[in-house]
Amino acid sequence: MKYVSTRGSAPELGFADALLAGLALDGGLYLPEFWPALPALEQLRGRSYSEIAVEVMWPFVQGDIPRDVFERIVQDSYAGFASEQVCPLVPLGTTAAGADLYLLELFHGPTLAFKDVALQLVGRLFDYVLTQRDERICILAATSGDTGSAAIDAVRDRERIDICILFPEGRVSDVQRRQMTTVVASNVHAVAVEGTFDDCQDLVKAAFGDSTFRDEVHLGAVNSINWARVMAQIVYYVVAYLEATDSSEAGDESLGAKSVAQAGEVTFCVPTGNFGNILAGWAAKQMGLPIDRLVVASNRNDILTRFFTTGHMEIQGVVPTSSPSMDIQVSSNLERLLFEVLDRDGQAVAEFMAAFRADGSVSIPAAILDKLRAEFDAGSVDDESAAAVIQSVHQRTALVLDPHSAVAVALAERLGGEESVPVVALATAHPAKFPDAVEAALGFRPELPAHLTDLFDRVERIEHVQNTLEAVEALVRSQLKSRQRP
Ligand SMILES: *Cc1c(COP(=O)(O)O)cnc(C)c1O
């Protein structure tokens, strides 16, 4: 598979090069040259997560990684998940329209957020490609909380990788921060920035834009600007679809076979920040997965809801909420969707992004908005409504939702639509990652899983950096220097 940039002027790359590059040289994001078709869904039904993962992702990596190596890497990536199903689907009642409602639990990886699903794979892919090429890489990434720890866990102690994570000081939860700052590994640096997540993301983009620096330190990306992350997330949409439309467990074999044959569409409701997760759902749909609606669920930082409602995108400043991983204004991955709805016109995307950068606001033509609205819905949920959903779901099912998942469930419950279309809400974090919000709603603190119970006893190592490109580049250089010293 070849990969093309959303801004149209960077060279096409193969999978391994797109993996290492992260951001394209023209500032765009990589997308596959075309959308391969999924294998026949009935052939995937009943197979393990890893087996389905290999089948779904194979066309994207074929030519760059041998099949047996890829199978082993995928198997390895998910072996450490706390659930044997990797991403289990749990029934949660019905929506306002009477449709079956499910929760897709994506938080059974080592750092308790959905980002592990992609990053456990991406870390191993980096390792494989770098070893093949006898190269090193320095990963620079911004985190709103969860990418940082998931990326650190995925690459800690890897010989050929250094990692520097920028997080907004005081704007991530204590659990999130400690998951980054207590890791003892000489290749890991967790760095606090005075600013917001968007500031951190801008610093990373600026560092990538400085081609001298980029080449000098062999910069690599693990933010969802990296195509491989989106790719890995396509898998669980397929797995969830198969589960939600599988009635073979109902007992009556003939009835099961009948409804399986008639399996229709499914709607997904996704707690959204950088738009990477929901973009993977959209990609699954391009590959042939029968998806009815994709619902963009935002907290009070509702730039995406306003955009999908009016076609006007306007920055209004970030307000802190109980779901901090979604406290984002500029969603990088929206660029990939724009590229597609603008018929892959890189020039038009570059102009749109430049106008947005310059003015902090930009509009799309009505015809483009119509295209988006044909597939996406969007809504915003405030902290009070999210807390109310944490309470009602706990009362009804004894399940404890984290505040991000609660935003998705709140919107999913409200959804109109058809009774016959099941709705899957994505649960993106384990409740123990956000104990304060859960305690405020339920009156108790959810317990951390066994491997993290001593998190608050571990020693933190935090570096600080000013919110300027010069300061970040100087820090990265000095980190690399000290690591290379014998
Ligand atoms: C990262 C994250 C999100 C947002 O996902 P995007 O892919 O950035 O849209 C939502 N919830 C949690 C818990 C996260 O960590």
Side-chain angles (χ1 to χ4, degrees):
M1 179 66 79
K2 288 275 177 227
Y3 291 85
V4 298
S5 164
T6 51
R7 304 217 182 152
S9 52
E12 290 184 5
L13 299 180
F15 176 78
D17 285 317
L19 174 78
L20 294 184
L23 199 66
L25 280 174
D26 57 6
L29 311 186
Y30 280 107
L31 271 176
E33 198 177 21
F34 63 92
W35 295 107
L38 288 173
L41 290 172
E42 292 316 314
Q43 281 172 22
L44 297 179
R45 215 178 269 284
R47 297 174 67 184
S48 74
Y49 187 92
S50 292
E51 286 170 347
I52 295 173
V54 169
E55 296 298 339
V56 170
M57 292 188 284
W58 179 242
F60 295 118
V61 303
Q62 194 173 11
D64 277 47
I65 303 177
R67 174 85 179 196
D68 58 330
V69 171
F70 189 59
E71 284 174 2
R72 182 176 47 70
I73 288 175
V74 170
Q75 189 73 41
D76 232 44
S77 302
Y78 300 118
F81 276 56
S83 163
E84 207 184 317
Q85 292 148 280
V86 182
C87 301
L89 191 74
V90 181
L92 213 60
T94 53
T95 68
D100 287 335
L101 175 61
Y102 297 93
L103 191 69
L104 178 61
E105 294 186 349
L106 302 174
F107 53 73
H108 294 286
T111 73
L112 314 182
F114 89 98
K115 292 174 173 89
D116 287 323
V117 181
L119 284 168
Q120 285 295 313
L121 178 74
V122 169
R124 285 167 174 83
L125 290 171
F126 269 126
D127 203 39
Y128 170 77
V129 172
L130 292 170
T131 305
Q132 288 292 306
R133 299 180 171 195
D134 190 21
E135 284 176 13
R136 305 182 54 84
I137 201 170
C138 174
I139 288 169
L140 179 65
T143 186
S144 58
D146 296 329
T147 296
S149 53
I152 287 171
D153 190 275
V155 307
R156 58 184 295 174
D157 294 321
R158 296 213 188 255
E159 201 38 53
R160 294 172 176 280
I161 304 176
D162 290 282
I163 183 163
C164 178
I165 297 288
L166 306 182
F167 66 91
E169 179 143 39
R171 291 179 187 247
V172 300
S173 80
D174 290 347
V175 176
Q176 287 179 317
R177 191 190 64 248
R178 287 184 156 270
Q179 283 184 305
M180 296 187 274
T181 57
T182 62
V183 173
V184 185
S186 61
N187 68 332
V188 168
H189 301 276
V191 182
V193 176
E194 269 177 52
T196 64
F197 169 70
D198 289 303
D199 293 329
C200 295
Q201 186 154 267
D202 283 346
L203 286 169
V204 170
K205 284 197 176 162
F208 271 86
D210 178 351
S211 56
T212 314
F213 177 72
R214 181 176 172 158
D215 293 344
E216 173 195 332
V217 303
H218 296 275
L219 221 48
V222 289
N223 281 112
S224 52
I225 56 174
N226 196 310
W227 159 253
R229 272 189 60 182
V230 177
M231 171 187 83
Q233 292 165 358
I234 295 171
V235 175
Y236 50 70
Y237 285 90
V238 177
V239 168
Y241 175 87
L242 293 170
E243 285 282 314
T245 57
D246 185 2
S247 49
S248 59
E249 279 158 32
D252 184 329
E253 286 259 322
S254 58
L255 184 74
K258 182 162 162 257
S259 25
V260 167
Q262 290 173 348
E265 296 187 323
V266 170
T267 283
F268 287 92
C269 189
V270 187
T272 296
N274 232 339
F275 209 74
N277 199 357
I278 196 162
L279 185 86
W282 184 85
K285 188 171 181 181
Q286 305 317 300
M287 295 168 75
L289 195 68
I291 293 178
D292 180 18
R293 313 288 299 165
L294 288 160
V295 184
V296 181
S298 315
N299 60 26
R300 271 189 55 213
N301 296 296
D302 63 349
I303 185 168
L304 288 173
T305 299
R306 286 181 278 118
F307 176 66
F308 280 96
T309 312
T310 65
H312 185 63
M313 190 152 78
E314 185 182 5
I315 295 187
Q316 290 188 340
V318 184
V319 293
T321 71
S322 64
S323 42
S325 302
M326 295 151 68
D327 292 348
I328 292 176
Q329 285 291 321
V330 183
S331 301
S332 309
N333 273 291
L334 193 62
E335 177 163 343
R336 288 191 160 109
L337 181 65
L338 285 173
F339 180 64
E340 295 282 1
V341 293
L342 293 169
D343 297 323
R344 296 200 157 210
D345 179 348
Q347 186 65 36
V349 172
E351 281 163 17
F352 181 93
M353 297 311 296
F356 184 54
R357 276 281 150 206
D359 305 336
S361 78
V362 65
S363 290
I364 48 166
I368 303 293
L369 179 61
D370 288 345
K371 275 202 213 176
L372 291 174
R373 292 179 55 96
E375 299 188 274
F376 290 90
D377 290 318
S380 129
V381 173
D382 62 21
D383 285 1
E384 291 70 34
S385 309
V389 163
I390 293 177
Q391 284 164 0
S392 66
V393 167
H394 184 252
Q395 255 168 18
R396 214 168 65 225
T397 68
L399 278 177
V400 180
L401 295 179
D402 100 282
H404 304 77
S405 313
V407 165
V409 172
L411 261 189
E413 283 184 342
R414 270 185 224 163
L415 276 183
E418 288 176 49
E419 200 181 331
S420 59
V421 178
V423 177
V424 175
L426 273 54
T428 47
H430 189 290
K433 221 164 172 172
F434 302 94
D436 295 341
V438 172
E439 185 174 28
L442 298 179
F444 65 85
R445 293 175 86 77
E447 266 177 47
L448 282 162
H451 71 282
L452 288 170
T453 42
D454 66 341
L455 186 64
F456 281 83
D457 305 325
R458 298 179 194 167
V459 178
E460 286 194 84
R461 289 189 314 172
I462 310 184
E463 294 164 62
H464 295 266
V465 74
Q466 281 179 322
N467 183 0
T468 68
L469 180 61
E470 296 72 47
V472 169
E473 291 187 349
L475 182 76
V476 169
R477 285 192 179 104
S478 79
Q479 287 165 348
L480 290 187
K481 228 176 172 175
S482 67
R483 181 136 188 266
Q484 277 148 16
R485 207 177 291 144

